[in-house]
Amino acid sequence: MSGSRVDLHLHSTASDGVLAPAALVAFVAECGVQLCALTDHDTVDGLEAAAAAARAHGIALLPGTELSARWRGRTVHVVGLDIDPTSPVLAAALAVRTAARTSRAELIRDRLDRCGAPGSAAWALIEATGTRIPTRTHFARALVELGAAQDAGRAFERWLGRGRPGNVAAEWPDVAEAVGAIVAAGGHAVLAHPLRYTLSAGARRELAAEFRAVGGTGIEVAIGGASPQQVETATGLALRAGLEGSVGSDCHDPALPWHRPGRLAKLSAAVVPVWHRWGSAPEFHTAQA
Ligand code: AMP
Ligand code: MN
Ligand code: MN
Ligand code: MN
């Protein structure tokens, strides 16, 4: 069975993905996706190389990003689609986050060191990669390389995930700023993976409503690895808030099959697909009514 032709959430080595932008686009094309977006965390660095690769493979690529933001003290992610990567307002929003990531990485390093994990050695490995966007994923991979965890999942469980010393909160700008920067760059803002935040059902609905009120366009309804119930819950959130629906695998690594590009549930016909403005072909992944 072929997967979705649309995948609007993907990561490359410009942030915490394992494939370089051109290799990622080649992989996405191989998976049968015809409209994709590169949405690296807090950067637009991979977009030029990705665009060239998309032209070479004959698939459509939207310039995107995934901004870290804060809502009621929690971190939430805002995907920006069809952004102008040269927008000065967006550049300023990215610069704030890049700086915050570097100082936070040093805090993560120190916290890991204090609890007996090789934080300094991990940070040295990360710095050697030359990344401008240090994430907890980088720490997870470095801890695995140093033998402090068996795999990245366990590194999160033990050191970096919720309630663990390396889960350092960053002072991300708030959601309205993130949406505003995306809109100022001519793009459309999509609330990423709404069910991944630890929020009550009521607070989640308030987040979706507020996201819409500050200028957001859509919400992710089908994400990689989502169960039918989760897709149904996210569909309800979209309909209630008057948000369009987006779909994205959030692929970081081609070795993880549940995040395979295009392997996504179909959007309910009741939800307006956010990609109607970029791909009008009817077979672009909407379930029949
Ligand atoms: P950061 O933005 O630096 O806090 O890092 C967040 C990133 O870590 C996410 O985008 C995921 O790619 C990754 N991540 C978060 N939690 C987990 C987990 N439990 N297992 C594997 N990766 C995770
Ligand atoms: Mn990530
Ligand atoms: Mn995310
Ligand atoms: Mn992501």
Side-chain angles (χ1 to χ4, degrees):
M1 193 196 78
S2 68
S4 166
R5 293 165 181 240
V6 180
D7 191 327
L8 303 179
H9 191 150
L10 298 158
H11 293 274
S12 76
T13 48
S15 65
D16 59 350
V18 304
L19 294 177
L24 173 72
V25 169
F27 178 56
V28 166
E30 193 185 300
C31 292
V33 172
Q34 294 181 342
L35 172 66
C36 66
L38 179 61
T39 57
D40 274 306
H41 297 287
D42 303 324
T43 186
V44 293
D45 283 353
L47 295 179
E48 231 177 272
R55 281 192 295 275
H57 289 277
I59 68 171
L61 174 109
L62 300 173
T65 188
E66 181 177 13
L67 295 183
S68 310
R70 198 173 31 143
W71 187 72
R72 295 190 185 169
R74 286 179 178 75
T75 297
V76 298
H77 287 173
V78 181
V79 162
L81 298 174
D82 202 22
I83 48 164
D84 170 5
T86 68
S87 154
V89 175
L90 179 62
L94 295 173
V96 168
R97 289 166 171 82
T98 314
R101 278 194 176 277
T102 303
S103 38
R104 169 186 181 240
E106 290 165 359
L107 272 175
I108 295 175
R109 172 198 66 193
D110 296 345
R111 290 241 212 137
L112 291 176
D113 280 342
R114 275 204 297 276
C115 69
S120 290
W123 181 229
L125 287 175
I126 296 165
E127 282 192 301
T129 69
T131 184
R132 293 182 57 246
I133 309 292
T135 66
R136 283 181 293 152
T137 313
H138 291 87
F139 274 97
R141 292 193 191 123
L143 289 172
V144 172
E145 198 175 330
L146 292 163
Q150 256 178 311
D151 55 47
R154 272 176 256 211
F156 270 93
E157 266 168 38
R158 180 149 183 216
W159 307 110
L160 299 159
R162 197 169 299 147
R164 299 298 173 186
N167 185 22
V168 176
E171 285 298 304
W172 307 121
D174 67 24
V175 165
E177 184 267 7
V179 172
I182 289 162
V183 170
H188 291 270
V190 170
L191 182 62
H193 41 67
L195 304 186
R196 251 190 239 159
Y197 314 123
T198 34
L199 294 169
S200 69
R204 212 178 298 284
R205 286 195 292 270
E206 286 165 20
L207 168 60
E210 204 177 299
F211 189 79
R212 173 87 178 86
V214 299
T217 299
I219 186 168
E220 287 182 346
V221 167
I223 66 166
S227 69
Q229 288 82 353
Q230 289 170 326
V231 174
E232 198 181 315
T233 303
T235 299
L237 279 171
L239 293 174
R240 196 178 175 120
L243 288 164
E244 297 177 1
S246 189
V247 297
S249 62
D250 205 2
C251 176
H252 288 68
D253 182 343
L256 301 179
W258 56 93
H259 288 299
R260 188 177 166 84
R263 183 172 290 180
L264 294 159
K266 285 189 186 299
L267 202 62
S268 152
V271 176
V272 177
V274 72
W275 61 89
H276 69 83
R277 48 181 69 72
W278 304 297
S280 54
E283 69 273 22
F284 265 6
H285 199 70
T286 300
Q288 298 305 303

